[in-house]
Amino acid sequence: RRTANGHVIVANDPHRSESNPSIRYIVHLNAPGWNVIGATEPMFPGVMIGHTGRIAWGLTIVGTDQADVYVEDVNPANRNEVRFRGAWEPMRIVRDTIVIRGAEPLLVEYKHSRHGPVFYEDTVHHKAYAMRSTMHMPGSAGYLSALRYHALDDCMEFLDAQRWFLAPTENMVCGDTKGNIAWHASGAAPRRPNWHGRLPVPGTGEYEWDGLRNDHPRELNPERGWIATANHDIHPEGYDPPLFFKRGAQRGRQDRLEQVLSASAGMTMADHTALQHDAHSASGARDVPLFRGWTARDPLVERLRTALGQWDAQHRRGSMAAAAHYYLRRAIPAEARAASTPPARRQALLEQALAMGIDSLRATQGVDPSQWRWGRNNRSELPHPFVNAYDIDPVERHGGSGFVGAVGGTYRQIIDIST
């Protein structure tokens, strides 16, 4: 009911560090029983993000806590033994040889307790630090469950298939030709019966996993008519113990998505294209009225005030106002934003903030105001790691960190799931 043609739209633009060559590439896998189009990474099988003609799916990182550090008590009489439930037990030792050019080969030992590989030994206090992770489990190769998606008919089957999605931790979203939309916070998570997993714990047996959790949050066809994820804290209200690292208020991008989608009707592919490139700043929008209805005495300060007063709070690469706000936003005192402040006093405070912004722009972007723009603050450097001839020139960008149009969209898809 929110789309122009009455069919589901699935849009996805996962963010990683942009590189040359790209971390992701587009692929069409077509074979007997297979017809999948999307994007993947060279080392992974299947299609990580894409569609089959029946379903489409996408992802953003969740941040599931999949690992624990265990502090092992080492036997002072035998450094290859650790204590577990009142008894000494041997560690598994893997020996290897590292060949070094121009030097003797280096013999190394890798120790493993029952909890995982030892990454540090404290020989003074007889401790060993081991890492236990769900990513050490069989079947935990990244995106391995993507090999199942080619055979799925709808989002209900997609949700069921997430039981095999062990790593990495992803918000997996789905839309299908039947009109369903779904979300699952996927990735294996240990069940910790008596601790939250935020700090190292003793390896002596009091803090052991009790299998894997099966209470991951999910949604199927929510009444609001849309699903969105933006690497935010996805814990439902009252959800405990916590499943994920993200427990703070990192909601800027998600809040903007909710604002746009909640007010939407008749959404088209073009609307989703605009949303993927949206660089609206809520704090900028709140500050714009401060720069309207008055005139600065200094011509350059007035030029900047005019730009800010006319600004739509979008961080486009050519925007002087976006660059100016970036530098002066912290210089605006609370008094200037207070409704009780007299207009003359507010103007004086804002002129002072604008002057400070001009100083910062001059220091970082030069003395020519015609060259002050957001893109000079927000560039992608794309050198090739091995061959200089394949370097790509730096690119000034819209958006950036904290915006829906965040830099790092290594693949973008907008799929109209029509029959």
Side-chain angles (χ1 to χ4, degrees):
R1 70 179 186 274
R2 291 187 176 273
T3 59
N5 65 3
H7 295 285
V8 170
I9 293 177
V10 175
N12 190 217
D13 57 337
H15 300 99
R16 294 281 293 275
S17 296
E18 291 177 332
S19 60
N20 172 24
S22 175
I23 190 174
R24 292 189 171 107
Y25 69 100
I26 297 174
V27 62
H28 184 179
L29 297 183
N30 196 320
W34 283 78
N35 191 13
V36 189
I37 300 173
T40 190
E41 298 178 27
M43 72 290 286
F44 293 127
V47 177
M48 298 159 50
I49 309 159
H51 72 96
T52 64
R54 299 181 304 277
I55 68 168
W57 63 93
L59 55 83
T60 62
I61 288 291
V62 175
T64 308
D65 185 358
Q66 295 186 297
D68 282 303
V69 172
Y70 283 86
V71 184
E72 313 283 10
D73 288 344
V74 178
N75 186 351
N78 183 349
R79 287 178 51 194
N80 294 331
E81 292 182 343
V82 294
R83 183 180 296 278
F84 185 76
R85 291 181 176 164
W88 298 113
E89 64 179 24
M91 289 192 282
R92 181 169 62 91
I93 299 175
V94 177
R95 293 178 173 86
D96 196 4
T97 301
I98 300 175
V99 179
I100 303 172
R101 183 168 60 184
E104 292 296 317
L106 178 65
L107 302 179
V108 295
E109 289 186 346
Y110 303 112
K111 295 183 179 181
H112 299 255
S113 74
R114 67 166 50 237
H115 298 116
V118 172
F119 60 88
Y120 180 73
E121 287 189 77
D122 182 345
T123 57
V124 174
H125 299 96
H126 308 295
K127 302 290 184 182
Y129 294 79
M131 173 69 74
R132 186 176 187 185
S133 172
T134 60
M135 289 184 283
H136 298 158
M137 298 167 53
S140 63
Y143 303 103
L144 191 62
S145 66
L147 293 174
R148 297 177 176 271
Y149 297 166
H150 72 285
L152 304 180
D153 285 327
D154 53 40
C155 289
M156 285 69 81
E157 292 184 1
F158 183 85
L159 286 174
D160 185 63
Q162 297 316 298
R163 72 176 72 179
W164 288 282
F165 192 110
L166 302 184
T169 72
E170 300 283 2
N171 289 293
M172 298 299 299
V173 295
C174 173
D176 64 32
T177 57
K178 301 175 183 178
N180 299 298
I181 58 175
W183 158 69
H184 189 280
S186 301
R191 182 182 290 112
R192 302 175 177 92
N194 59 330
W195 85 105
H196 281 183
R198 293 298 185 260
L199 296 172
V201 291
T204 48
E206 296 87 357
Y207 298 92
E208 298 301 304
W209 294 357
D210 182 21
L212 298 177
R213 295 178 64 164
N214 58 7
D215 59 344
H216 292 52
R218 62 169 63 193
E219 282 188 325
L220 177 65
N221 299 327
E223 179 60 30
R224 62 180 174 274
W226 54 265
I227 290 171
T229 71
N231 309 118
H232 64 298
D233 180 358
I234 54 80
H235 284 90
E237 186 175 352
Y239 190 90
D240 195 71
L243 186 62
F244 312 110
F245 283 126
K246 295 183 174 68
R247 299 291 287 171
Q250 302 174 11
R251 288 192 53 90
R253 289 187 295 142
Q254 182 69 13
D255 287 344
R256 177 59 176 170
L257 289 172
E258 293 182 5
Q259 178 187 28
V260 173
L261 294 174
S262 295
S264 68
M267 289 283 282
T268 65
M269 301 280 277
D271 292 326
H272 281 279
T273 299
L275 185 55
Q276 284 191 342
H277 292 278
D278 184 274
H280 182 270
S281 165
S283 63
R286 288 192 295 268
D287 285 342
V288 164
L290 297 175
F291 299 98
R292 294 173 177 168
W294 56 277
T295 302
R297 292 178 289 272
D298 182 277
L300 185 54
V301 172
E302 173 59 17
R303 180 174 178 177
L304 216 59
R305 183 209 64 78
T306 300
L308 284 162
Q310 297 173 349
W311 187 35
D312 62 0
Q314 289 282 345
H315 283 63
R316 299 180 181 88
R317 57 175 166 257
S319 172
M320 173 192 284
H325 187 260
Y326 175 79
Y327 287 113
L328 65 83
R329 58 185 175 173
R330 293 185 179 88
I332 301 175
E335 184 182 359
R337 294 187 170 99
S340 59
T341 301
R345 173 60 177 167
R346 177 180 294 108
Q347 177 175 336
L349 293 171
L350 292 173
E351 288 193 47
Q352 184 179 25
L354 285 164
M356 294 175 68
I358 288 171
D359 289 343
S360 296
L361 284 165
R362 282 174 171 161
T364 57
Q365 299 194 16
V367 297
D368 183 359
S370 68
Q371 297 301 309
W372 294 348
R373 59 186 181 272
W374 175 247
R376 296 184 68 183
N377 282 19
N378 189 46
R379 301 198 324 167
S380 290
E381 308 283 342
L382 298 167
H384 192 276
F386 303 120
V387 184
N388 292 341
Y390 296 151
D391 289 352
I392 297 174
D393 292 337
V395 181
E396 294 186 3
R397 308 292 300 276
H398 299 311
S401 177
F403 304 112
V404 175
V407 169
T410 54
Y411 171 71
R412 298 182 189 272
Q413 71 175 19
I414 304 171
I415 300 174
D416 177 352
I417 308 298
S418 300
T419 53

